[in-house]
């Protein structure tokens, strides 16, 4: 291969056109991911759809290469990753500390934490990517997509397959966007919802199927095990939890209000306990391999120092460790200033030195720990399945406990809210480090498989981080003005749940002000322990079946409007893949299914941001409505039937398109 010796031919890789294309895709996908993550509590991986779009557009240039396409998807992958900051930052609005998202502060949090995540992951590349047997499922999948006809290495069949993939993404995006627009007119209902009494004592429960192609597609991508686990969580939450705890509420209240209040104030904290113990269990299982990985990284560093840098093959050249160290130190200075400034404007001015110096130490140590753990988890189970929410929970609890121990005894009792805000602020920095590290090694694995140059990819990742950081604050601000967040005063009926941000801010408040009902969290912990035991038994007894504990916890914690359609999507995706296995081209069929799902997510999410912009300009809750509330019953039937019909037609179409490629390879 071209990269096996120091003098290997350098092919087009880090180009101006590739950088521009990567940034444009990043802007679009970041906006989509922010909206979707706030709505559903899940973000989607952008590498594969970005790779398909890149190949289709760069194919017009005769000198385009697979490495250049890889750089484009590397930049764009920051969209799926950096958007995870929405799991923390909206908490500042939820606790009433911010009224909007200040651009430069939010940008600095995302950019500085993201660049640190890139820098922290560089020393781990050799140990966790080059010399590791970790599977990196998403990195491997993206590399396979890139190999399906990229640049001058493509044959006629590969080119045709690439075009089919682009069609799947585009038509998926168009169909889901059009459906979302019709939903905005209220001709199709946004969801099929029903709340009801259970038993003779007046307990309540219910369900809410969101007619969302994006949620459906997420189910396809996460797979059957995660989908079934979320269903188990939803059953625990709404068949047992809501009916049980609703008996403690106001039974004279309207059924829907009682059910939602019970879930919000009781059941979701049980889910928090289950998520927390599941995250700790996942991290505990990784302690040994992470320590081993770090030892390997240090050994590889000693070997490099003993040799000569110019003897390294192109495919093993990272950004020089000296530059990595300088960039890392350069990030610490503005982070210290940012933490000190935030402390001073929060009424904690007498403790600025402690907050700034202690805060930087927390970011340094906790940031490196979580980046190592998240990098390993991404290699083990994939970036999309890594328990980032659990990591955020652990980080905010650690930050809150440290503030209670070292700062709270020395401040006025009225400063509790300021301490909660500071805990969320510092958690957002560490969380960004974790999110980027969760993705970087996956991208570097893709690069290894397509003969890319690591340092060029690492530069591309930094560019992607900066581009994503510039997009996130205005999109968050737009969505906050248009919809608001659940639980915030003045938020309307279409308020975005932002579930993880709600949980993390509630935990920070609970630890610092000591006003949380810990018995609910303890109940969740015991449920989590039971699920962990079931999962371990299933894995050891069957070698195939599993019940991911984190997904069960999410099923309890998230409202059914965010989970049930994910479950449906996972079942349909599993059935589609089973049918594909019996076809003439199983892998191509499955890949087109994945690309269709990616398109469905992007289309609905982007149009959601556009509609939010229209809502913000008009000042109306439903500016596109063509019918009134009296049409709601018919809209549920019409929307549900149309949704099912479109799913059938689209999946049948991609399956036939895959089989039509049979004679062209």
């Amino acid at each position: 291969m071209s990269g096996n010796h120091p003098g290997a031919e350098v092919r087009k890789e880090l180009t101006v056109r590739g950088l521009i294309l990567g940034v444009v895709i990043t802007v679009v996908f970041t906006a989509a991911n922010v909206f979707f993550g706030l709505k559903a509590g899940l973000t989607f991986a952008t590498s594969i759809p970005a790779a398909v779009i890149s190949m289709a557009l760069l194919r017009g240039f005769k000198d385009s290469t697979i490495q250049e396409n890889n750089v484009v998807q590397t930049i764009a992958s920051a969209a799926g990753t950096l958007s995870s900051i929405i799991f923390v930052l909206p908490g500042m609005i939820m606790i009433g500390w911010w009224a909007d998202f200040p651009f430069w502060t939010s940008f600095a949090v995302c950019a500085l934490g993201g660049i640190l995540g890139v820098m922290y992951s560089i020393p781990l590349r050799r140990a966790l990517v080059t010399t590791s047997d970790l599977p990196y499922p998403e990195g491997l999948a993206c590399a396979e997509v890139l190999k399906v006809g990229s640049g001058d290495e493509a044959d006629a069949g590969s080119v045709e397959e690439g075009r089919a993939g682009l069609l799947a993404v585009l038509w998926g995006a168009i169909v889901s966007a059009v459906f979302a627009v019709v939903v905005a007119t209220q001709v199709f209902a946004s969801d099929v919802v029903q709340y009801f009494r259970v038993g003779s004592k007046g307990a309540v429960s219910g369900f809410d199927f969101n007619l969302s192609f994006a949620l459906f597609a997420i189910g396809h991508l996460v797979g059957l095990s995660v989908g079934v686990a979320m269903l188990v969580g939803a059953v625990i939450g709404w068949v047992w939890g809501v009916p049980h705890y609703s008996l403690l509420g106001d039974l004279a209240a309207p059924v829907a209000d009682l059910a939602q209040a019970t879930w919000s104030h009781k059941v979701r904290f049980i889910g928090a306990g289950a998520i927390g113990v599941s995250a700790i269990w996942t991290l505990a299982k990784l302690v040994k391999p992470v320590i081993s990985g770090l030892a390997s990284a240090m050994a590889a560093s000693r070997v490099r120092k003993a040799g000569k840098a110019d003897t390294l093959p192109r495919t093993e050249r990272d950004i020089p460790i000296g530059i990595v160290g300088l960039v890392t130190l350069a990030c610490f200075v503005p982070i210290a200033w940012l933490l000190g400034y935030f402390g001073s404007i929060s009424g904690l001015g007498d403790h600025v030195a402690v907050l700034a110096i202690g805060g930087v130490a927390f970011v340094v140590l906790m940031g490196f720990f979580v980046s190592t753990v998240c990098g390993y988890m991404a290699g083990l189970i994939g970036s999309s399945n890594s328990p980032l929410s659990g990591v955020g929970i652990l980080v905010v609890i650690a930050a809150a406990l440290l503030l209670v121990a070292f700062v709270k005894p020395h401040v006025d009792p009225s400063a509790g809210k300021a301490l909660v805000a500071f805990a969320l602020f510092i958690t957002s920095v560490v969380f960004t480090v974790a999110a980027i590290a969760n993705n970087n090694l996956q991208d570097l694995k893709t690069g290894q498989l397509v003969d890319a140059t690591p340092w060029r990819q690492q530069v591309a990742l930094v560019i992607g981080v900066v581009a994503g950081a510039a997009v996130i604050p205005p999109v968050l601000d737009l969505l906050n003005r248009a919809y608001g967040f659940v639980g915030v005063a003045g938020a309307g009926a279409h308020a975005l749940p932002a579930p993880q941000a709600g949980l993390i801010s509630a935990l920070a408040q609970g630890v610092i002000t000591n006003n949380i009902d810990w018995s609910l969290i303890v109940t969740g912990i015991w449920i989590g322990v039971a699920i962990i035991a079931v999962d371990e038994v299933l894995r050891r007894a069957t070698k195939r079946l599993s019940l991911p504990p984190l997904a069960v916890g999410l099923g309890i914690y998230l409202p059914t409007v965010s989970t049930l359609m994910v479950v449906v999507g996972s079942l349909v995706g599993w059935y589609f893949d089973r049918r594909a296995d019996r076809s003439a081209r199983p892998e191509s069929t499955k890949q087109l299914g994945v690309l269709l799902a990616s398109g469905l997510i992007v289309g609905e999410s982007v149009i959601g941001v556009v509609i939010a912009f229209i809502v913000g300009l008009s000042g109306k809750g439903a500016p596109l409505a063509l019918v009134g509330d009296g049409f709601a019953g018919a809209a549920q039937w019409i929307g549900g039937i149309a949704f099912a019909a479109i799913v059938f037609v689209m999946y049948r179409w991609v399956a036939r398109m895959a089989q039509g490629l049979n004679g062209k390879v």
Side-chain angles (χ1 to χ4, degrees):
M1 296 177 73
S2 60
N4 288 342
H5 55 85
E9 174 192 357
V10 178
R11 312 180 69 200
K12 280 190 178 295
E13 193 165 354
L14 195 63
T15 62
V16 173
R17 70 191 180 203
L19 293 177
I20 293 172
L21 179 57
V23 168
V24 170
I25 296 174
T26 294
V27 169
V28 175
F29 280 5
T30 299
N33 242 334
V34 168
F35 173 76
F36 186 69
L38 292 172
K39 179 179 180 180
L42 299 163
T43 56
F44 64 96
T46 56
S47 296
I48 290 178
V52 172
I53 294 169
S54 172
M55 288 187 295
L57 296 180
L58 292 183
R59 190 169 285 127
F61 298 92
K62 292 183 179 179
D63 58 347
S64 68
T65 65
I66 191 172
Q67 290 82 13
E68 185 178 19
N69 285 314
N70 179 55
V71 162
V72 174
Q73 73 81 19
T74 297
I75 296 172
S77 70
T81 307
L82 201 61
S83 301
S84 298
I85 190 62
I86 61 169
F87 293 168
V88 182
L89 212 53
M92 302 292 284
I93 303 284
M94 292 176 166
I95 67 169
W97 193 257
W98 283 353
D100 54 19
F101 293 92
F103 177 81
W104 288 111
T105 302
S106 305
F107 171 81
V109 167
C110 296
L112 292 170
I115 291 170
L116 267 184
V118 176
M119 295 301 114
Y120 277 174
S121 64
I122 290 172
L124 301 176
R125 185 189 65 82
R126 281 177 175 268
L128 298 184
V129 176
T130 306
T131 60
S132 169
D133 58 357
L134 291 171
Y136 287 98
E138 289 161 1
L140 179 61
C142 192
E144 291 303 312
V145 170
L146 285 167
K147 290 175 183 177
V148 177
S150 189
D152 56 7
E153 296 182 359
D155 58 27
S158 297
V159 170
E160 188 66 26
E161 201 162 331
R163 287 173 181 162
L166 181 64
L167 278 176
V169 172
L170 288 178
W171 277 107
I174 291 168
V175 166
S176 65
V178 170
F179 191 90
V181 170
V182 179
V183 166
T185 68
Q186 298 186 354
V187 173
F188 291 172
S190 61
D191 51 4
V192 177
V193 57
Q194 184 69 50
Y195 293 101
F196 42 81
R197 297 281 179 183
V198 179
S200 59
K201 296 181 180 180
V204 299
S205 188
F207 62 84
D208 191 340
F209 270 101
N210 192 341
L211 297 178
S212 163
F213 276 110
L215 287 173
F216 176 89
I218 282 288
H220 182 131
L221 296 180
V222 300
L224 185 64
S225 292
V226 173
V228 170
M230 291 185 78
L231 177 60
V232 170
V235 168
I236 293 172
W238 288 86
V239 175
W240 168 74
V242 171
H244 175 72
Y245 287 100
S246 67
L247 292 173
L248 304 177
D250 180 11
L251 295 177
V255 174
D257 292 348
L258 178 56
Q260 285 297 323
T262 303
W263 167 80
S264 178
H265 300 302
K266 300 288 185 181
V267 175
R268 74 177 184 139
F269 288 99
I270 294 174
I275 290 172
V277 75
S278 299
I280 292 170
W281 171 254
T282 303
L283 298 179
K285 288 171 68 176
L286 294 172
V287 168
K288 184 177 179 181
V290 164
I291 292 174
S292 174
L294 277 174
S296 299
M298 294 171 65
S301 177
R302 287 194 295 269
V303 170
R304 285 198 300 277
K305 288 178 182 177
K308 295 181 178 179
D310 59 4
T311 63
L312 284 173
R314 174 180 61 80
T315 52
E316 287 300 322
R317 292 180 184 171
D318 295 296
I319 293 176
I321 196 67
I323 294 178
V324 171
L326 286 174
V327 172
T328 302
L329 290 174
C331 287
F332 291 152
V333 175
I335 286 174
W337 180 87
L338 201 61
L339 294 173
Y341 172 74
F342 190 89
S344 65
I345 65 172
S346 303
L348 302 171
D350 293 341
H351 305 278
V352 165
V354 173
L355 293 174
I357 297 171
V360 168
F362 183 79
V363 170
V364 171
L365 298 175
M366 185 64 79
F368 188 74
F369 169 71
V370 297
S371 64
T372 304
V373 171
C374 286
Y376 189 90
M377 288 191 296
L380 196 64
I381 58 177
S383 301
S384 299
N385 295 325
S386 292
L388 269 181
S389 300
V391 170
I393 288 169
L394 296 179
V395 172
V396 79
I397 289 176
L401 288 173
L402 288 172
L403 288 170
V404 167
F406 295 104
V407 180
K408 186 179 179 181
H410 309 291
V411 298
D412 190 274
S414 64
K417 192 173 182 179
L419 291 174
V420 173
F422 189 85
L424 290 175
F425 191 73
I426 195 169
T427 298
S428 65
V429 177
V430 177
F431 192 83
T432 310
V433 176
I436 289 295
N438 184 51
N439 172 76
N440 285 5
L441 295 178
Q442 201 82 242
D443 282 324
L444 292 171
K445 181 64 177 182
T446 300
Q448 179 197 28
L449 296 172
V450 300
D451 198 26
T453 309
W455 75 262
R456 289 188 170 94
Q457 273 194 282
Q458 290 151 4
V459 170
L461 283 164
V462 171
I463 293 170
V465 163
V466 175
V471 176
I472 287 172
V475 173
L476 277 172
D477 222 28
L478 172 65
L479 295 173
N480 180 42
R481 289 199 305 270
Y483 300 119
F485 301 117
V486 170
V488 177
H494 300 286
L496 297 166
Q500 286 89 343
L503 169 61
I504 286 173
S505 59
L507 288 173
Q509 286 178 307
V511 172
I512 289 173
T513 63
N514 197 28
N515 65 352
I516 196 169
D517 186 348
W518 288 103
S519 67
L520 295 171
I521 292 180
V522 170
T523 299
I525 288 172
W526 284 114
I527 290 173
V529 169
I531 297 297
I532 288 168
V534 172
D535 180 53
E536 289 296 310
V537 170
L538 282 174
R539 289 177 186 274
R540 295 180 184 183
T542 66
K543 305 297 183 185
R544 291 188 310 111
L545 300 178
S546 64
L547 192 68
L550 273 167
V552 176
L554 274 175
I556 300 171
Y557 178 76
L558 291 172
T560 55
V561 71
S562 299
T563 56
L564 293 185
M565 190 53 76
V566 174
V567 175
V568 173
S570 70
L571 292 170
V572 172
W574 169 79
Y575 179 73
F576 178 81
D577 287 348
R578 288 287 299 270
R579 289 290 298 270
D581 285 333
R582 299 195 294 270
S583 69
R585 292 179 59 82
E587 294 306 317
S588 294
T589 305
K590 290 178 184 178
Q591 188 180 99
L592 286 180
V594 167
L595 294 174
L596 172 64
S598 300
L600 291 173
I601 295 169
V602 171
E604 180 180 318
S605 301
V606 170
I607 209 68
V609 175
V610 173
I611 292 173
F613 182 71
I614 296 171
V615 170
L617 287 179
S618 69
K620 299 177 181 177
L624 302 181
L626 298 178
V627 296
D629 293 339
F631 194 73
Q636 285 193 352
W637 282 101
I638 296 171
I641 292 170
F643 189 92
I646 292 169
V647 167
F648 177 79
V649 170
M650 293 299 290
Y651 274 85
R652 187 181 178 94
W653 168 64
V654 294
R656 287 185 170 181
M657 185 163 57
Q659 303 318 307
L661 299 172
N662 196 33
K664 295 184 171 70
V665 178

